[in-house]
Amino acid sequence: MLDFFDITGIVHFGIAGNVNNSMSIGDVTIPKQFAHTGIWDWLNPNAKLNANNNIGQLDIESYNVPKGHGSNLLWHIVYNSEPFFSETGEPNSAQPLLWAPISEHWLKLAANLEDLSLEQSVNSTLFLERKPKLVVGLKGSTANIFVDNAAYRDFLFQTFKVSSVDMESSAVVMTSLSNGYPVIVIRGLSDLAGGQLGQNGIDIFGSLAATNAAKAVITFLQHL
């Protein structure tokens, strides 16, 4: 799109999993930054850990049941930053980037949407327990996996302090920024990313989450 169309910026939207217990299905999040949490090294059990790694480390052995019992050959995952090429940086010279920021002026504009009334009903017989809300300024993560695991959900929240997980946003944000275009991401929360009891709720609440995200997008565009 950036190469073939005359655009002024990217408004990226869709649905996402919720990993923040202060948020609920049906809510809309407009994060202030995104991390690509799908870039990591899976270490050999004999590998030495780098104590200077301050991005994130997942010790798989700590998830043994019973805890601390036996050894785990899956060992350790170490998260990495992503090479970022900027139009204002040195040619062909990448900078390591973990958090890709949303365009600040669009994020400030999105703050006007926090009182937006969102849909609460899936259909005539199924309603959310409370009215959904729109929150601006949290963190989001992206990886090429669909998260539906309570332990990994909690790890992402505790380690990276993210509130939503999806499979596209970080790439869209980094591509927009590297080409000098403003960008914003609007996501409706469709499921609990494994934090639920029983089956994942995306098939039930996905349409409602998409509707609320679309409503936020339309309102945001009206403010531009």
Side-chain angles (χ1 to χ4, degrees):
M1 288 194 298
L2 299 179
D3 290 336
F4 294 101
F5 295 94
D6 182 19
I7 65 172
T8 57
I10 298 292
V11 179
H12 178 64
F13 64 99
I15 61 176
N18 171 28
V19 299
N20 182 344
N21 288 333
S22 70
M23 302 286 285
S24 300
I25 288 176
D27 290 350
V28 172
T29 178
I30 304 180
K32 64 180 179 181
Q33 54 189 357
F34 278 87
H36 192 331
T37 53
I39 302 178
W40 37 261
D41 296 329
W42 204 321
L43 302 184
N44 188 289
N46 298 320
K48 182 179 294 186
L49 295 177
N50 182 358
N52 295 324
N53 182 290
N54 58 1
I55 294 179
Q57 300 184 17
L58 174 58
D59 181 8
I60 297 176
E61 191 174 59
S62 66
Y63 291 89
N64 285 356
V65 178
K67 188 174 179 63
H69 180 74
S71 59
N72 193 316
L73 296 179
L74 293 177
W75 181 229
H76 219 88
I77 288 174
V78 175
Y79 291 80
N80 297 316
S81 59
E82 188 167 9
F84 176 69
F85 294 88
S86 171
E87 66 163 2
T88 60
E90 292 292 330
N92 300 317
S93 178
Q95 299 295 321
L97 181 68
L98 175 63
W99 294 105
I102 296 300
S103 303
E104 186 175 355
H105 62 293
W106 275 12
L107 200 63
K108 289 181 179 179
L109 190 62
N112 296 318
L113 276 62
E114 289 193 320
D115 293 330
L116 181 66
S117 178
L118 299 172
E119 297 298 323
Q120 190 172 356
S121 60
V122 177
N123 52 45
S124 60
T125 60
L126 181 59
F127 297 81
L128 297 175
E129 293 183 357
R130 63 165 191 78
K131 190 73 173 174
K133 61 181 180 293
L134 185 149
V135 179
V136 178
L138 300 175
K139 295 181 179 181
S141 71
T142 295
N144 60 340
I145 55 174
F146 179 80
V147 178
D148 190 23
N149 180 277
Y152 192 60
R153 173 188 192 266
D154 292 344
F155 168 81
L156 288 173
F157 179 75
Q158 295 296 333
T159 304
F160 298 102
K161 308 303 180 187
V162 296
S163 294
S164 59
V165 290
D166 66 63
M167 301 174 69
E168 304 89 13
S169 294
S170 178
V172 173
V173 173
M174 291 193 70
T175 300
S176 300
L177 295 177
S178 65
N179 287 277
Y181 288 91
V183 61
I184 195 168
V185 175
I186 300 174
R187 291 276 180 171
L189 300 181
S190 59
D191 60 272
L192 297 180
Q196 74 283 342
L197 296 175
Q199 187 175 354
N200 188 285
I202 189 172
D203 290 337
I204 298 174
F205 299 106
S207 60
L208 175 63
T211 297
N212 282 342
K215 188 172 185 179
V217 169
I218 293 171
T219 307
F220 175 77
L221 293 176
Q222 292 171 344
H223 281 76
L224 284 178

